[in-house]
Amino acid sequence: MARITGSYPNDLDLLIEGAVEAGVFGGKSDALREFVREYFEDHENERIAAAVALYERERITLGDAARLADVDRWTMRDILREHDVELRLGLADEEDAAYEVEAASELEFGDKGSGDEESRANDR
């Protein structure tokens, strides 16, 4: 888990302290985590922009970008292309490879059985 240090207005600090004292949050960290999580849930464009920027700077993989943007990898590839970000090809690690295998196994190619026999008959 990452740690951050920041400044914010005193009134906001008082509201957070009051919410903690009222039992709304377990502590200031819990409150801040909830605020940030809700922000990105409610602001899809900003969440996607953050994922694109991190991917473009080679800080995260395509799979990480898709997860952060809350989209599948195919959609993330389209988003990156729309933002003129060059895709990095190849697998970053075993997790990336496992995801690609799983995604490939879910592809539907129609009824192979009858088509294969028909094409073999036509080849003769």
Side-chain angles (χ1 to χ4, degrees):
M1 189 172 301
R3 296 181 58 91
I4 61 170
T5 303
S7 301
Y8 45 89
N10 289 336
D11 285 348
L12 184 56
D13 188 53
L14 287 171
L15 285 171
I16 294 170
E17 283 183 26
V20 170
E21 289 178 18
V24 176
F25 300 105
K28 283 185 176 182
S29 292
D30 291 340
L32 294 173
R33 273 192 299 273
E34 180 67 14
F35 297 149
V36 171
R37 184 189 60 74
E38 282 187 21
Y39 175 83
F40 283 111
E41 281 181 0
D42 294 341
H43 295 86
E44 177 183 13
N45 290 338
E46 288 79 356
R47 187 176 63 241
I48 289 171
V52 168
L54 291 168
Y55 181 85
E56 186 173 29
R57 288 163 183 79
E58 299 185 9
R59 304 243 340 257
I60 59 175
T61 64
L62 177 64
D64 292 332
R67 182 177 47 79
L68 292 175
D70 196 26
V71 298
D72 60 61
R73 286 181 187 223
W74 306 113
T75 302
M76 192 68 221
R77 289 176 185 189
D78 292 341
I79 291 169
L80 291 168
R81 287 183 185 112
E82 289 169 10
H83 286 84
D84 295 322
V85 175
E86 187 173 329
L87 294 175
R88 296 189 305 271
L89 302 177
L91 303 172
D93 54 28
E94 288 182 27
E95 184 179 331
D96 237 14
Y99 180 89
E100 293 296 334
V101 168
E102 181 182 334
S105 68
E106 293 174 3
L107 294 176
E108 294 183 24
F109 295 103
D111 185 9
K112 288 187 207 176
S114 63
D116 287 346
E117 290 176 23
E118 186 177 317
S119 65
R120 276 186 240 135
N122 290 337
D123 288 343
R124 292 182 189 156

